[in-house]
Amino acid sequence: MRAVRMTAPGVLEQVEVPTPTPGPGEVLVRVGAVGACHSDLHILDAPPGAFPTPITLGHEIAGTVDTLGDGVTGWSAGERVAVYGIIGCGTCRGCLRGLENQCRTVPLGGIGLSRDGGLAEHVVVPASRLLPVGDLAVTQAAPLTDAGLTPYHAIELARPALRPGTSAVVIGIGGLGHMAVQILAATTAVRIIAVDSNVAALDLATRVGAHHVVPAGPDTVDRIRELVGPAPDGADVVIDCVGVDATLATARGVVATGGRLLLVGLGGGTMPVRPVADAPPTVPFETSVTVPFWGTRAELQEVIALGRAGLLTADVQTFPLDRAPEAYDLLRAGEIHGRAVIVP
């Protein structure tokens, strides 16, 4: 079968590999669509040894059940499914509570991260990782597994602060950010403020439910403050889907005392946290800072329900499998709006 693999650190190429055979408890999935994520760029850019090579990338996967391994029940060939990418140990405190994204035994990894993923015609996954998607298009279901799940999980963590009439700021209206805006619009009654440096991204934010859009620039904090009021008031929740120094400075500059900062983007920026009483604090008092990771299987089921109800729609640009390297080049250059989706 055809597969797009990282054959060496930083090297992505299409190759021919044998179609895998599912083992006990596993399922062979015919891949229908796989999202291209910024995390894949981090894997490509990682130093030698950080991730296994060769490896087939792609952790946002949807498709149809092809072949069942021994002992698998409850699935039939042809069923349309989405793949939950995390594989925890199943026995630690986090996993036993259903929080496999907080596994305390297995290091960061999963399908497309530490074992072969979905940038191929087929992928083998544990049967426990599958969720039904019904009649939802696979090109929509695939990005829901991360680009939809990760902001949904972040919003769930901040749910107590998202009271009707409060304000939420979403920074970065890309693959995750445009999903975050829709999730807020569908599940809360908050005022949504979207921030991005790209005019097309701000237009997308408006189309999917943002009440206000603010261009990123030197006066971003001031313009948001005009909407949320001066300190110590401010935005009750700020979701940074970028995570570089400039966006983190904006996030802490507009959050309210007692607010929630959710650092979703893995841009590598730094946010100073210095508890002081004789100078303005770097982060307002009583403010929590959280770095969410992916989400739970139960949350993915809820995200898929939003998608099937028409309340959560990925803005996608599709590419055939042989153009996957081009899609990642465009993603790196900031020329993908919404989510790039590879269709084998």
Side-chain angles (χ1 to χ4, degrees):
M1 69 175 186
R2 296 175 301 141
V4 174
R5 292 167 68 80
M6 183 172 72
T7 55
V11 179
L12 191 64
E13 55 186 338
Q14 181 174 301
V15 298
E16 289 286 335
V17 296
T19 300
T21 300
E26 295 181 329
V27 173
L28 179 68
V29 174
R30 179 181 292 276
V31 178
V34 57
C37 179
H38 269 97
S39 297
D40 298 326
L41 297 181
H42 296 315
I43 295 171
L44 286 166
D45 295 341
F51 293 92
T53 55
I55 185 173
T56 302
L57 298 184
H59 56 270
E60 293 186 349
I61 308 166
T64 55
V65 172
D66 186 300
T67 306
L68 305 182
D70 289 345
V72 175
T73 60
W75 297 103
S76 301
E79 280 192 79
R80 298 153 66 87
V81 293
V83 177
Y84 176 71
I86 297 175
I87 301 177
C89 70
T91 58
C92 72
R93 184 181 305 167
C95 288
L96 289 174
R97 295 177 60 212
L99 303 174
E100 291 168 279
N101 59 320
Q102 296 181 15
C103 181
R104 301 187 178 196
T105 302
V106 178
L108 173 64
I111 299 165
L113 300 172
S114 55
R115 60 181 280 169
D116 284 339
L119 279 177
E121 294 176 300
H122 293 84
V123 63
V124 165
V125 301
S128 62
R129 305 300 94 182
L130 300 181
L131 288 91
V133 300
D135 58 359
L136 187 64
V138 290
T139 52
Q140 284 294 313
L144 294 185
T145 62
D146 182 1
L149 175 58
T150 298
Y152 186 87
H153 173 64
I155 289 166
E156 283 298 293
L157 293 176
R159 187 70 66 186
L162 293 166
R163 310 301 301 173
T166 58
S167 296
V169 174
V170 180
I171 303 174
I173 310 302
L176 276 67
H178 87 291
M179 296 287 210
V181 170
Q182 292 179 74
I183 294 164
L184 288 168
T187 67
T188 76
V190 304
R191 180 173 54 166
I192 305 165
I193 303 167
V195 180
D196 202 285
S197 59
N198 186 285
V199 173
L202 295 178
D203 289 343
L204 174 60
T206 299
R207 294 199 305 272
V208 299
H211 300 101
H212 304 276
V213 295
V214 177
D219 62 346
T220 302
V221 170
D222 291 339
R223 296 184 65 168
I224 296 173
R225 281 288 177 193
E226 291 174 1
L227 297 170
V228 300
D233 201 356
D236 299 86
V237 174
V238 181
I239 305 170
D240 185 354
C241 296
V242 182
V244 298
D245 285 349
T247 59
L248 293 171
T250 296
R252 68 186 181 89
V254 301
V255 70
T257 293
R260 308 287 182 91
L261 290 173
L262 300 165
L263 312 185
V264 174
L266 303 178
T270 301
M271 174 182 287
V273 177
R274 187 176 68 250
V276 294
D278 56 352
T282 55
V283 174
F285 289 118
E286 294 286 314
T287 296
S288 65
V289 181
T290 305
V291 183
F293 176 63
W294 226 331
T296 69
R297 280 186 288 173
E299 288 168 338
L300 179 54
Q301 185 177 50
E302 294 166 4
V303 169
I304 291 170
L306 287 175
R308 295 189 66 186
L311 297 173
L312 183 59
T313 302
D315 185 67
V316 302
Q317 295 176 243
T318 58
F319 298 81
L321 186 62
D322 59 7
R323 291 181 59 199
E326 176 189 347
Y328 282 106
D329 288 342
L330 293 171
L331 180 63
R332 189 186 294 278
E335 297 180 15
I336 297 292
H337 303 300
R339 202 57 153 186
V341 173
I342 315 300
V343 180

Short mmCIF file of all heavy atoms in Angstrom, two decimals, residues 7-8 14 67 76 80 88 92 145 154-156 159 162 171 194 222 235 268-269 278 304 321 344:
data_model
loop_
_atom_site.label_atom_id
_atom_site.label_comp_id
_atom_site.label_asym_id
_atom_site.label_seq_id
_atom_site.Cartn_x
_atom_site.Cartn_y
_atom_site.Cartn_z
N THR A 7 10.93 9.05 7.02
CA THR A 7 11.94 8.02 6.87
C THR A 7 13.23 8.34 7.61
O THR A 7 14.06 7.46 7.83
CB THR A 7 12.25 7.80 5.38
OG1 THR A 7 12.61 9.05 4.79
CG2 THR A 7 11.01 7.25 4.66
N ALA A 8 13.40 9.59 7.98
CA ALA A 8 14.52 10.06 8.79
C ALA A 8 14.06 11.38 9.39
O ALA A 8 13.08 11.98 8.90
CB ALA A 8 15.78 10.23 7.95
N GLN A 14 6.62 9.63 0.20
CA GLN A 14 5.68 8.55 -0.07
C GLN A 14 6.45 7.30 -0.47
O GLN A 14 7.36 7.36 -1.30
CB GLN A 14 4.72 8.93 -1.18
CG GLN A 14 3.69 7.84 -1.49
CD GLN A 14 2.65 8.28 -2.49
OE1 GLN A 14 1.93 9.24 -2.28
NE2 GLN A 14 2.57 7.56 -3.60
N THR A 67 -10.89 -5.01 8.34
CA THR A 67 -10.69 -6.38 8.82
C THR A 67 -10.57 -6.37 10.34
O THR A 67 -9.88 -5.51 10.91
CB THR A 67 -9.41 -6.99 8.22
OG1 THR A 67 -9.47 -6.88 6.80
CG2 THR A 67 -9.25 -8.45 8.62
N SER A 76 -18.32 -4.10 12.37
CA SER A 76 -18.53 -4.83 11.12
C SER A 76 -17.79 -4.12 10.00
O SER A 76 -17.63 -2.89 10.02
CB SER A 76 -20.02 -4.89 10.77
OG SER A 76 -20.75 -5.53 11.80
N ARG A 80 -18.30 3.19 9.36
CA ARG A 80 -17.52 4.42 9.33
C ARG A 80 -17.10 4.79 10.75
O ARG A 80 -17.95 4.82 11.66
CB ARG A 80 -18.33 5.54 8.69
CG ARG A 80 -18.69 5.24 7.23
CD ARG A 80 -19.95 5.96 6.81
NE ARG A 80 -19.79 7.40 6.80
CZ ARG A 80 -19.33 8.10 5.76
NH1 ARG A 80 -18.97 7.47 4.65
NH2 ARG A 80 -19.24 9.40 5.80
N GLY A 88 -3.14 4.92 26.19
CA GLY A 88 -2.59 4.94 27.54
C GLY A 88 -2.32 3.53 28.04
O GLY A 88 -2.56 2.53 27.34
N CYS A 92 -3.22 3.05 35.13
CA CYS A 92 -2.80 4.09 36.08
C CYS A 92 -4.03 4.87 36.57
O CYS A 92 -5.15 4.69 36.08
CB CYS A 92 -1.78 5.03 35.45
SG CYS A 92 -2.47 6.15 34.21
N THR A 145 -11.03 14.65 15.51
CA THR A 145 -10.34 13.81 16.48
C THR A 145 -9.20 14.54 17.20
O THR A 145 -8.71 14.03 18.22
CB THR A 145 -9.79 12.54 15.81
OG1 THR A 145 -8.84 12.92 14.81
CG2 THR A 145 -10.90 11.73 15.18
N ALA A 154 -10.24 21.68 26.25
CA ALA A 154 -9.83 22.91 26.93
C ALA A 154 -11.05 23.66 27.45
O ALA A 154 -11.06 24.14 28.60
CB ALA A 154 -9.03 23.79 25.97
N ILE A 155 -12.07 23.76 26.63
CA ILE A 155 -13.28 24.48 27.03
C ILE A 155 -13.97 23.75 28.18
O ILE A 155 -14.50 24.39 29.11
CB ILE A 155 -14.20 24.66 25.81
CG1 ILE A 155 -13.59 25.69 24.86
CG2 ILE A 155 -15.62 25.08 26.22
CD1 ILE A 155 -14.21 25.72 23.48
N GLU A 156 -13.97 22.42 28.16
CA GLU A 156 -14.54 21.68 29.28
C GLU A 156 -13.81 21.99 30.58
O GLU A 156 -14.43 22.11 31.63
CB GLU A 156 -14.48 20.17 28.99
CG GLU A 156 -15.54 19.68 28.03
CD GLU A 156 -16.95 19.89 28.58
OE1 GLU A 156 -17.30 19.24 29.58
OE2 GLU A 156 -17.68 20.72 28.01
N ARG A 159 -15.15 25.20 31.81
CA ARG A 159 -16.60 25.31 31.76
C ARG A 159 -17.19 26.13 32.93
O ARG A 159 -18.09 26.95 32.71
CB ARG A 159 -17.23 23.92 31.72
CG ARG A 159 -18.73 23.89 31.50
CD ARG A 159 -19.13 24.30 30.11
NE ARG A 159 -18.69 23.39 29.08
CZ ARG A 159 -18.83 23.63 27.78
NH1 ARG A 159 -19.41 24.74 27.36
NH2 ARG A 159 -18.39 22.77 26.88
N LEU A 162 -17.26 29.83 32.13
CA LEU A 162 -17.95 30.27 30.91
C LEU A 162 -19.43 30.48 31.19
O LEU A 162 -20.30 29.83 30.62
CB LEU A 162 -17.74 29.23 29.80
CG LEU A 162 -16.29 29.11 29.32
CD1 LEU A 162 -16.11 27.85 28.48
CD2 LEU A 162 -15.90 30.35 28.51
N ILE A 171 -7.34 33.12 20.58
CA ILE A 171 -6.21 33.67 19.85
C ILE A 171 -5.70 32.63 18.85
O ILE A 171 -5.34 31.52 19.25
CB ILE A 171 -5.08 34.07 20.81
CG1 ILE A 171 -5.58 35.08 21.85
CG2 ILE A 171 -3.89 34.66 20.04
CD1 ILE A 171 -4.56 35.42 22.93
N ALA A 194 -12.36 36.93 18.74
CA ALA A 194 -11.36 36.18 17.99
C ALA A 194 -10.22 37.09 17.59
O ALA A 194 -10.43 38.24 17.19
CB ALA A 194 -11.98 35.54 16.75
N ASP A 222 -5.01 46.62 23.83
CA ASP A 222 -5.86 47.79 24.03
C ASP A 222 -7.22 47.60 23.36
O ASP A 222 -8.26 47.97 23.93
CB ASP A 222 -5.17 49.03 23.46
CG ASP A 222 -3.94 49.46 24.26
OD1 ASP A 222 -3.84 49.06 25.42
OD2 ASP A 222 -3.09 50.17 23.69
N ALA A 235 -11.22 39.40 30.24
CA ALA A 235 -11.81 38.18 29.68
C ALA A 235 -11.80 37.08 30.74
O ALA A 235 -10.79 36.86 31.40
CB ALA A 235 -11.04 37.74 28.45
N GLY A 268 5.90 27.12 21.69
CA GLY A 268 7.20 27.20 22.35
C GLY A 268 7.49 28.52 23.04
O GLY A 268 8.64 28.77 23.45
N GLY A 269 6.48 29.38 23.18
CA GLY A 269 6.69 30.66 23.86
C GLY A 269 6.80 30.50 25.36
O GLY A 269 6.63 29.41 25.92
N ASP A 278 4.08 44.00 45.44
CA ASP A 278 4.48 45.40 45.37
C ASP A 278 4.66 45.90 43.94
O ASP A 278 5.26 46.96 43.71
CB ASP A 278 5.78 45.61 46.15
CG ASP A 278 6.92 44.72 45.67
OD1 ASP A 278 6.65 43.84 44.83
OD2 ASP A 278 8.06 44.91 46.14
N ILE A 304 -18.04 14.47 18.17
CA ILE A 304 -18.66 13.85 16.99
C ILE A 304 -20.17 14.14 16.97
O ILE A 304 -20.74 14.41 15.90
CB ILE A 304 -18.38 12.34 16.99
CG1 ILE A 304 -16.89 12.09 16.74
CG2 ILE A 304 -19.23 11.63 15.92
CD1 ILE A 304 -16.47 10.64 16.96
N LEU A 321 -3.10 11.86 -1.31
CA LEU A 321 -1.99 11.35 -0.50
C LEU A 321 -0.64 11.76 -1.07
O LEU A 321 0.28 12.12 -0.31
CB LEU A 321 -2.08 9.83 -0.38
CG LEU A 321 -1.06 9.17 0.55
CD1 LEU A 321 -1.24 9.64 1.99
CD2 LEU A 321 -1.19 7.64 0.49
N PRO A 344 -6.42 9.65 1.10
CA PRO A 344 -5.67 8.61 0.38
C PRO A 344 -6.42 8.09 -0.84
O PRO A 344 -7.64 8.09 -0.87
CB PRO A 344 -5.49 7.51 1.44
CG PRO A 344 -5.63 8.22 2.75
CD PRO A 344 -6.63 9.30 2.52
#
